[in-house]
Amino acid sequence: MTKELLMEYFNTLFKDCFLFWKREEKDILEAYERALEDIRAINKLPQTSDVDVHLVKSEWNEVHTQILHDLYKAHSNNMLDSEHIRICSHCGLPMIEGYHWGDERYCSKECLDAVYSQEEQDVEMYMLAPGEQLSDLSESEKEQAFNSQDECYWTQWESIIKDEYL
């Protein structure tokens, strides 16, 4: 198991915990903090001889502790809003990169897929006419259509959450 897979493992667990606390009607700060505590409490970790699992968990914890610190700082400065922090429209996690989708934001393809089918995504991203399929377009037509719309794309935003953490 690689360091990247372990980070993905911790991120997936964290997101599930965060979503649980959001469903329990906790605000973003409390949900983030409780999810972080949940991951910190995990004692039984995957075993691998390739990397030090405890070191990876410690690095992961350091990143998310700093993000939580940034969120509290934003809150105390009345900056915990959509102008300063982008929030995923599906899962509610704060993010510095993701999909800009009209008036919505999504932190991952998984979150985007949970809301829009691939067909709906193709229609929006390539401005397809009713009944038109993405496969009907040549590669140059796809590129031209994609480049001519400005409502649906992947991007990074400036944020009070520092991108070196993520």
Side-chain angles (χ1 to χ4, degrees):
M1 186 176 289
T2 65
K3 178 181 176 179
E4 290 75 24
L5 282 175
L6 280 169
M7 288 295 217
E8 184 178 328
Y9 168 80
F10 290 123
N11 284 332
T12 300
L13 290 174
F14 177 80
K15 190 172 189 175
D16 288 344
C17 292
F18 179 84
L19 290 173
F20 170 81
W21 292 114
K22 289 294 285 182
R23 283 191 303 272
E24 293 294 310
E25 299 183 11
K26 304 300 180 196
D27 66 30
I28 188 171
L29 289 171
E30 189 171 356
Y32 203 95
E33 187 165 22
R34 287 186 178 207
L36 188 54
E37 289 170 4
D38 291 342
I39 301 306
R40 288 176 180 153
I42 296 173
N43 292 320
K44 189 162 176 110
L45 298 171
Q47 297 302 310
T48 177
S49 60
D50 300 335
V51 292
D52 183 341
V53 178
H54 294 283
L55 181 61
V56 173
K57 182 181 178 189
S58 176
E59 288 176 23
W60 182 93
N61 181 57
E62 191 176 313
V63 165
H64 286 275
T65 299
Q66 187 59 53
I67 291 171
L68 181 62
H69 173 77
D70 288 351
L71 291 172
Y72 271 109
K73 195 164 146 185
H75 178 68
S76 68
N77 292 322
N78 294 320
M79 296 172 65
L80 197 58
D81 57 36
S82 62
E83 185 178 328
H84 297 94
I85 298 178
R86 303 300 187 270
I87 304 295
C88 179
S89 298
H90 177 67
C91 72
L93 276 172
M95 57 191 212
I96 61 164
E97 64 181 11
Y99 291 92
H100 170 91
W101 207 260
D103 292 333
E104 302 166 347
R105 311 287 179 268
Y106 296 98
C107 65
S108 66
K109 181 75 164 105
E110 292 79 19
C111 283
L112 180 63
D113 289 345
V115 178
Y116 293 98
S117 69
Q118 187 60 54
E119 186 176 321
E120 290 170 315
Q121 292 175 44
D122 291 345
V123 167
E124 292 297 321
M125 289 187 76
Y126 297 98
M127 301 184 327
L128 299 176
E132 188 177 28
Q133 298 292 316
L134 186 58
S135 58
D136 296 339
L137 302 178
S138 69
E139 287 304 314
S140 64
E141 289 172 321
K142 286 179 192 175
E143 186 175 336
Q144 182 181 10
F146 180 79
N147 290 335
S148 65
Q149 62 86 16
D150 62 357
E151 288 296 312
C152 303
Y153 51 87
W154 177 267
T155 191
Q156 284 189 319
W157 294 278
E158 287 195 22
S159 175
I160 64 157
I161 299 173
K162 297 168 186 67
D163 62 354
E164 68 251 23
Y165 302 146
L166 302 177

